[in-house]
């Protein structure tokens, strides 16, 4: 499980380290990790480190000292600093014979092509917009990178606001970002994440509960999720693997429920039935398809013993979705609400076993906000949605955020090719199948998004362009095996 901290959490961690007289050691850990990553990625050439006035600059001085003492040609361009640890590490750098020059765009423009640039200008203490002469320095870093100079960012690329998924102004484009102790939201989402290159998480010597106390969310590893995956016992029959209903489809959107059905089938549901008011395509003969002349009456008349173990409703369902959702919510059956069922009027009508799966546009509709407000802060938006809707919310994206009361989880992996129509429908089916096999809403959500993302990564090996939802569904079995560590069975099962 990897913790995710906002700058506020970093500041509190800082204060705790300071009280324990460990802050100096944390900066040493950080700088040493940066030096190690420079050596690993670019073992040759000069290293030019850029040190800002805060602790991010202090990390750069520590890294410079380690590189120099390891025999690398390292130089530092620095801003003046009043930060005590940054000043201390500047003195230590000079004590080993290190050379420091004043930071300027002109000095940077002389960086040769065989130089590695290390960006220690701004970290979690940055508050946009960029002031002073730093904007020109950020431009000079971009110009150097355009000339082929590789860039490693310390903690996060300078100019990014650690809490935000969009760059607030000019920012460094890094090839590698070495971040400390925990991930920061900017490293995970959308355009800001694209500025980071490869992200390396370097641990600091702190007790794990110091981080978990402060984390805003966590990112599970596959090993954390593997034990949650349902396993078929040798004596299983289809009735115990979950009876799942998919309710969706409308004139012009008949593929959506079919894709959900396919997702449910491949995620292990025993019996999958599609209920619709229109004819649906038969994507695979394992799915049962029921067309109802009066779908509302059918749902209203379904006796408790005929109801499924879990259902997903809303995919391509059209304008009746909210009233049909209200009907099935009375059943108190584990329910995935997706697409057309994600209407503000359903707020307050859910129950604990509801799983809401908006993409950013639907999230914006539910919260009455413009879509950029959602994509700028996906963790905050997921939390706000959960508070509004109850149950468990998946805010879909690359990566998705899963929220329940008081806890947030960010999925890992996936592939940009998954941004195509039908992908969310398949996910809804996967989620319903996991609910039908007895997973809690929270576990089904975390396992489901990761399974779906992993299947996307697998499918992208073959269809990097033109990735379709059916391709992803076809890889769910292998994704399931991957999460299990390559085995269809747990040891001893
Ligand atoms: N929390 C922790 O536990 C640790 C943090 N470390 C480092 O500490 C960093 C945070 O350090 P700080 O809080 O000192 O902050 P930063 O070093 O991120 O930024 C502060 C500096 O940036 C300048 N600055 C801020 N906003 C600006 C603006 N709009 N325009 C121009 N300049 C601006 C400030 O004047 C100050 O010099 C992290 O990113 C990380 O690199 C590491 O030393 C390891 C331990
Ligand atoms: K930085």
């Amino acid at each position: 499980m990897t913790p995710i901290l906002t700058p506020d959490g970093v500041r509190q961690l800082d204060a705790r380290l300071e009280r324990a007289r460990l802050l100096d050691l944390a900066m040493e850990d950080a700088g040493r990790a940066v030096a190690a990553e420079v050596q690993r990625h670019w073992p040759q050439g000069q290293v030019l480190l850029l040190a800002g006035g805060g602790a991010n600059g202090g990390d750069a001085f520590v890294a410079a000292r380690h590189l120099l003492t390891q025999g690398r040609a390292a130089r530092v361009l620095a801003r003046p600093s009043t930060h005590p640890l940054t000043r201390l590490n500047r003195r230590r750098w000079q004590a080993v014979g290190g050379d420091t020059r004043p930071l300027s765009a002109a000095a940077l423009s002389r960086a040769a092509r065989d130089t590695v640039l290390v960006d220690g200008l701004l970290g979690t203490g940055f508050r946009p917009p960029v002031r002073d002469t730093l904007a020109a320095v950020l431009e000079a870093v971009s110009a150097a990178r355009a000339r082929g100079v590789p860039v490693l960012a310390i903690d996060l690329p300078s100019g990014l606001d650690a809490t935000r998924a969009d760059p607030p102004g000019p920012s460094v484009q890094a090839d590698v970002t070495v971040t400390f102790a925990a991930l920061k939201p900017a490293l995970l989402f959308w355009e800001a994440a694209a500025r980071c290159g490869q992200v390396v998480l370097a641990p600091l010597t702190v007790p794990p509960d110091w981080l978990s106390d402060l984390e805003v969310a966590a990112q599970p590893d596959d090993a954390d999720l593997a034990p949650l995956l349902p396993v078929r016992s040798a004596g299983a029959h289809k009735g115990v693997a979950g009876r799942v209903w998919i309710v969706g489809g409308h004139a012009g959107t008949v593929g959506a429920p079919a894709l959900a059905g396919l997702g449910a089938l491949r995620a292990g549901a025993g019996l999958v039935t599609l209920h619709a008011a229109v004819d649906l395509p038969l994507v695979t003969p394992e799915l049962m398809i029921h067309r109802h002349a009066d779908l509302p009456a059918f749902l209203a008349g379904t006796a408790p013993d005929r109801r499924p173990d879990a259902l997903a409703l809303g995919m391509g369902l059209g304008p009746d979705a909210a009233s049909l959702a209200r009907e099935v919510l009375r059943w108190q059956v584990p329910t995935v609400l997706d697409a057309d069922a994600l209407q503000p009027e359903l707020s307050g009508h859910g129950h604990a076993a509801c799983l809401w799966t908006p993409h950013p546009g639907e999230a914006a509709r539910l919260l009455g906000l413009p879509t950029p407000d959602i994509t700028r802060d996906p963790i905050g938006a997921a939390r706000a949605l959960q508070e509004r809707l109850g149950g468990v919310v998946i805010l879909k994206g690359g990566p998705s955020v899963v929220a329940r009361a008081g806890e947030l989880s960010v999925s890992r992996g996936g592939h940009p090719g998954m941004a195509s129509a039908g992908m969310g429908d398949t996910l809804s089916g996967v989620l319903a199948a996991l609910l039908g096999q007895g997973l809690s809403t929270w576990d089904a959500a975390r396992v489901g998004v990761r399974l779906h993302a992993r299947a996307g990564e697998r499918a992208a090996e073959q269809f990097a362009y033109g990735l379709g939802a059916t391709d992803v569904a076809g890889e769910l079995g292998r994704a399931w095996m991957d999460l299990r560590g390559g085995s269809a069975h747990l040891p001893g099962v």
Side-chain angles (χ1 to χ4, degrees), residues 35-64:
E37 291 303 320
V38 170
Q39 296 282 49
R40 190 157 76 89
H41 290 274
W42 301 283
Q44 313 287 328
Q46 308 200 9
V47 189
L48 183 60
L49 299 102
L50 313 178
N56 202 247
D59 301 342
F61 278 115
V62 175

Side-chain angles (χ1 to χ4, degrees), residues 21-46:
R21 297 182 181 281
L22 290 169
L23 196 54
D24 181 19
L25 297 182
M27 190 177 274
E28 186 67 21
D29 284 346
R32 190 190 290 115
V34 168
E37 291 303 320
V38 170
Q39 296 282 49
R40 190 157 76 89
H41 290 274
W42 301 283
Q44 313 287 328
Q46 308 200 9

Side-chain angles (χ1 to χ4, degrees), residues 375-386:
T375 50
R376 180 177 304 130
D377 176 14
I379 290 179
R383 189 195 290 115
L385 285 161
Q386 197 284 330

Side-chain angles (χ1 to χ4, degrees), residues 98-298:
D99 177 41
T100 312
R101 303 269 163 90
L103 177 70
S104 70
L108 249 170
S109 65
R110 293 190 287 272
R113 239 186 124 167
D114 67 339
T115 306
V116 181
L117 268 186
V118 177
D119 157 30
L121 295 169
L122 298 164
T124 53
F126 167 60
R127 294 291 164 271
V130 171
R131 288 190 315 262
D132 320 328
T133 52
L134 261 189
V137 171
L138 296 185
E139 263 170 43
V141 173
S142 295
R145 191 166 180 280
R147 295 200 304 274
V149 175
V151 178
L152 180 145
I154 300 182
D155 209 16
L156 72 158
S158 295
L160 294 188
D161 175 334
T163 56
R164 281 174 59 165
D166 60 341
S171 63
V172 165
Q173 173 67 57
D175 297 283
V176 174
T177 296
V178 184
T179 200
F180 310 120
L183 294 167
K184 323 292 170 327
L187 306 183
L188 288 161
F189 298 103
W190 307 111
E191 279 173 71
R195 308 293 291 169
C196 298
Q198 182 191 337
V199 175
V200 178
L201 179 69
L204 298 181
T205 319
V206 295
D209 60 320
W210 286 21
L211 297 170
S212 54
D213 283 359
L214 296 172
E215 72 191 19
V216 63
Q219 189 176 56
D221 298 317
D222 287 351
D224 298 316
L225 299 175
L228 306 177
L229 280 164
V231 189
R232 290 275 167 94
S233 70
H237 59 85
K238 66 187 177 203
V240 298
R243 289 172 304 132
V244 169
W245 283 12
I246 305 293
V247 184
H250 188 69
T253 50
V254 292
L259 289 168
L262 196 57
L265 176 73
R266 294 283 171 245
L271 284 155
V272 184
T273 313
L274 313 186
H275 294 279
V278 288
D279 282 326
L280 300 184
L282 182 66
V283 287
T284 182
E286 294 91 331
L287 302 176
M288 287 162 284
I289 301 181
H290 292 194
R291 181 183 170 167
H292 304 275
D294 189 343
L295 185 58
F298 162 70

